[in-house]
Amino acid sequence: VGCPLGEEAVDWCLYQLNGAAQFEVSEADIISTVEFNHTGELLATGDKGGRVVIFQREPESKNEPYSQGEYNVYSTFQSHEPEFDYLKSLEIEEKINKIKWLPQQNAAHSLLSTNDKTIKLWKITERDKRPEGYNLKDEEGKLKDLSTVTSLQVPVLKPMDLMVEVTPRRIFANGHTYHVNSISVNSDCETYMSADDLRINLWHLAITDRSFNIVDIKPANMEDLTEVITASEFHPHHCNLFVYSSSKGSLRLCDMRASALCDKHSKLFEEPEDPSNRSFFSEIISSVSDVKFSHSGRYMLTRDYLTVKVWDLNMETKPIETYQVHDYLRSKLCSLYENDCIFDKFECAWNGSDSVIMTGAYNNFFRMFDRNTKRDVTLEASRESSKPRAILKPRRVCVGGKRRKDDISVDSLDFTKKILHTAWHPTENIIAIAATNNLYIFQDKVNSEMH
Amino acid sequence: MSDKLDTDSRSEQTGDEKQDTQEKEAVVPERTEEAKLKAKYPNLGQKPGGSDFLMKRLQKGQKYFDSGDYNMAKAKMKNKQLPSTGPDKNLVTGDHIPTPQDLPQRKSSLVTSKLAGPENHVDSMDAACGVQDHN
């Protein structure tokens, strides 16, 4: 029953689990975003409490073969705090919506983190040396009694325990009237964009008092509002191209070289709706919750409520591939609307070679689809079903009819256990799965045993 | 028991037929769900993706506080007892004057994230794990 994925079968096993046990969950601990940096050496998580935790992968070590590849806590800091905008009577959550890493350009690491309103640039540096032997200060930093100073010495740098320092280098505030849902760093490494429900702004990483509006879909009369921006991303290689998705299920590719204001798209990707399927829920479930360019830059991956779709940039009329994530929910849409689950925003991810795509679902399940073999698998991120180093067993949801042992029925699914945020290492088969307040890191068994 | 077996074999034989029925039924679930919803909420708008639903999304986080009302209320406090907030602090009605105290106080997290706490390393679950000291 194990479904092989890719050229060689990938057996996923739990490598690491961080976070408190279920009964200790406080709202602030709920993970709201997960992101690997460009090399995969660092993994950042953001939570509802406005905190960021950065994990660093242990380098290979011959002395401790089992600790190779472990992600240890590298740093943690409070990125955003709750605010109240008295002028607009608006409560601003400290929840971290997105984290994006900047490509590393020197010894320091930098990342952008954003809540609903403010984007911040953080610089993460290491300090492993400390000057010692000051003339006027003693070891504790207290001023010396000058009468005891009889000679002049030159302070020397001595090694010290590694200290990781995080400082806010830029604060990009007041750029958004509506709630920021995405940020994306441009391949030029100088600019980035931030998107809210109705507008997209372009910023220069070094300039905080100005931003350039590149998309504005706010109607003159708000009564005419029919569509909002749900996600956006820069093309990985072409610095002039970006895509944004809408609540109506369409994607718009924009070219910043074509015009200063990109309200008019260069390409519109939209799948025509099947009129026989039209229902009250159609528009809601077609809303795109996430869009990601493939590493190659040739394709885009979108997630809507029930499917993940692969789009070819060269074909606007329909996606080239559509994968059902949990089609069995079609007969549950009424209750999912009532409990608001129908508005859950799931993310999606590509693997390093763009051959496998992944997305989360309910009951702490997550799904992977192999684009080449067309096989898919459902796996579970839970303490009970993840024994150390044991290969994850594929799960199955049964929809009536034959029921196999270990199948779970649709009615038994726990809709409070949703995997909204997932990330795939840029090159290796290592995935980070956020299950409410827990962070799971799964690795390919072959990968982890290789050293 | 034998009935069950019969059913199974019957469904295998008429696999094609069953599939057809299933395909027809597959078109229906959303409509059935829609009918259920409309039965529960007859006043539900015709355009679910339209203005109302989107406006609600845009207005997330809106709380109402009027300093004028607050000061007027404070001045009147001496004369009459003002209605206090009901169980739902978020509901602001005409009778209730919102005050700064009513706005849910949201403190920032002084507590470190539990993700940064003692880790459950899969390979060292038996041993105690220490907190990273280089933070």
Side-chain angles (χ1 to χ4, degrees), chain A residues 14-20 24 29 31 45 49 51 53 66 70-76 78 81-82 84 88-91 93-94 116 162-164 178-179 197 222-223 225-228 275-281 283 285 330-334 337-338 343 345 383 388-389 437, chain B residues 8 11-12 18 26-27 29-38 40-41 44-51 53-66 103-125 132-135:
Chain A
L14 176 63
Y15 210 76
Q16 193 171 324
L17 168 56
N18 288 64
E24 290 169 47
D29 292 327
I31 301 168
T45 61
R51 299 163 301 190
V53 181
Y66 290 115
E70 264 182 13
Y71 281 86
N72 298 319
V73 177
Y74 181 64
S75 179
T76 178
Q78 185 76 37
E81 310 217 337
F84 191 86
K88 294 179 190 163
S89 285
L90 198 68
E91 194 171 56
E93 273 191 311
E94 68 274 37
D116 282 338
L162 180 66
M163 204 164 76
V164 180
Y178 302 99
H179 299 104
D197 293 311
M222 283 300 264
E223 305 264 310
L225 182 69
T226 55
E227 203 171 9
V228 295
S276 63
N277 274 342
R278 173 119 197 116
S279 75
F280 173 85
F281 307 106
E283 196 172 305
I285 62 173
R330 264 184 221 275
S331 54
K332 298 277 169 209
L333 292 176
C334 178
Y337 180 89
E338 289 182 289
F343 301 108
K345 296 178 180 59
R383 286 165 189 268
R389 295 291 189 267
N437 63 317
Chain B
D8 281 350
S11 62
E12 275 169 31
K18 199 174 180 185
V27 179
E30 282 141 295
R31 296 270 175 80
T32 320
E33 293 297 298
E34 182 173 359
K36 261 194 240 173
L37 196 66
K38 291 220 161 122
K40 279 191 184 181
Y41 309 103
L44 207 55
Q46 285 308 302
K47 281 180 91 180
S51 289
F53 149 63
L54 290 177
M55 287 303 281
K56 190 176 150 194
R57 177 189 171 133
L58 295 182
Q59 278 169 12
K60 176 191 113 177
Q62 199 87 46
K63 299 270 186 300
Y64 293 96
F65 167 71
D66 187 311
L103 297 170
Q105 288 303 311
R106 312 253 320 290
K107 295 187 185 125
S108 70
S109 317
L110 300 172
V111 181
T112 314
S113 164
K114 293 196 183 74
L115 285 187
E119 295 158 55
N120 307 330
H121 286 282
V122 170
D123 57 327
S124 57
M125 272 188 174
Q132 296 303 308
D133 62 332
H134 62 242
N135 280 340

Side-chain angles (χ1 to χ4, degrees), chain A residues 133-405:
Chain A
Y134 285 105
N135 288 290
L136 301 177
K137 288 190 288 182
D138 67 15
E139 291 297 301
E140 280 107 59
K142 286 195 293 218
L143 285 176
K144 282 182 185 169
D145 179 355
L146 289 181
S147 59
T148 64
V149 178
T150 51
S151 62
L152 204 61
Q153 59 182 352
V154 179
V156 288
L157 289 175
K158 291 259 170 77
M160 60 179 258
D161 284 342
L162 180 66
M163 204 164 76
V164 180
E165 298 175 325
V166 182
T167 46
R169 295 305 296 252
R170 308 262 189 272
I171 296 180
F172 304 92
N174 304 316
H176 291 278
T177 306
Y178 302 99
H179 299 104
V180 175
N181 52 56
S182 319
I183 46 175
S184 179
V185 183
N186 195 310
S187 51
D188 67 10
C189 302
E190 285 186 354
T191 58
Y192 77 94
M193 68 150 131
S194 56
D196 67 34
D197 293 311
L198 297 176
R199 297 188 178 107
I200 302 181
N201 292 335
L202 182 71
W203 304 80
H204 190 286
L205 285 164
I207 300 169
T208 57
D209 62 356
R210 266 169 294 157
S211 79
F212 194 73
N213 177 245
I214 51 177
V215 173
D216 188 338
I217 64 166
K218 187 178 176 186
N221 185 352
M222 283 300 264
E223 305 264 310
D224 298 334
L225 182 69
T226 55
E227 203 171 9
V228 295
I229 297 167
T230 52
S232 87
E233 194 179 54
F234 267 122
H235 191 279
H237 314 308
H238 302 301
C239 57
N240 57 310
L241 294 180
F242 66 92
V243 68
Y244 71 90
S245 59
S246 85
S247 53
K248 278 188 162 177
S250 63
L251 297 172
R252 284 173 176 80
L253 187 74
C254 301
D255 186 341
M256 296 196 293
R257 289 179 191 169
S259 70
L261 191 57
C262 299
D263 281 358
K264 210 170 142 203
H265 53 262
S266 292
K267 289 195 182 188
L268 172 63
F269 298 82
E270 208 167 29
E271 185 169 22
E273 195 188 3
D274 180 358
S276 63
N277 274 342
R278 173 119 197 116
S279 75
F280 173 85
F281 307 106
S282 299
E283 196 172 305
I284 302 173
I285 62 173
S286 70
S287 176
V288 173
S289 51
D290 194 17
V291 62
K292 294 261 169 50
F293 278 104
S294 62
H295 293 91
S296 63
R298 167 88 192 264
Y299 304 103
M300 296 182 295
L301 180 65
T302 58
R303 175 68 154 97
D304 51 62
Y305 193 61
L306 299 176
T307 72
V308 275
K309 293 177 171 144
V310 178
W311 302 78
D312 184 326
L313 281 181
N314 298 321
M315 188 161 82
E316 299 167 68
T317 51
K318 60 183 166 104
I320 55 168
E321 294 155 33
T322 299
Y323 301 96
Q324 300 296 331
V325 180
H326 37 205
D327 199 54
Y328 45 78
L329 294 185
R330 264 184 221 275
S331 54
K332 298 277 169 209
L333 292 176
C334 178
S335 34
L336 291 169
Y337 180 89
E338 289 182 289
N339 61 20
D340 275 352
C341 283
I342 205 175
F343 301 108
D344 284 337
K345 296 178 180 59
F346 292 93
E347 289 170 9
C348 52
W350 296 92
N351 74 338
S353 57
D354 299 334
S355 59
V356 183
I357 55 191
M358 165 172 76
T359 189
Y362 293 107
N363 209 72
N364 280 348
F365 287 169
F366 56 100
R367 306 260 286 134
M368 287 187 184
F369 303 91
D370 187 313
R371 299 178 59 214
N372 299 323
T373 65
K374 300 302 180 200
R375 285 194 161 118
D376 62 83
V377 72
T378 304
L379 300 170
E380 183 179 359
S382 75
R383 286 165 189 268
E384 297 77 37
S385 61
S386 307
K387 294 208 177 82
R389 295 291 189 267
I391 296 170
L392 278 188
K393 206 177 59 162
R395 301 306 311 267
R396 215 177 83 110
V397 178
C398 72
V399 273
K402 289 186 188 165
R403 192 191 158 154
R404 293 187 216 161
K405 179 193 157 211

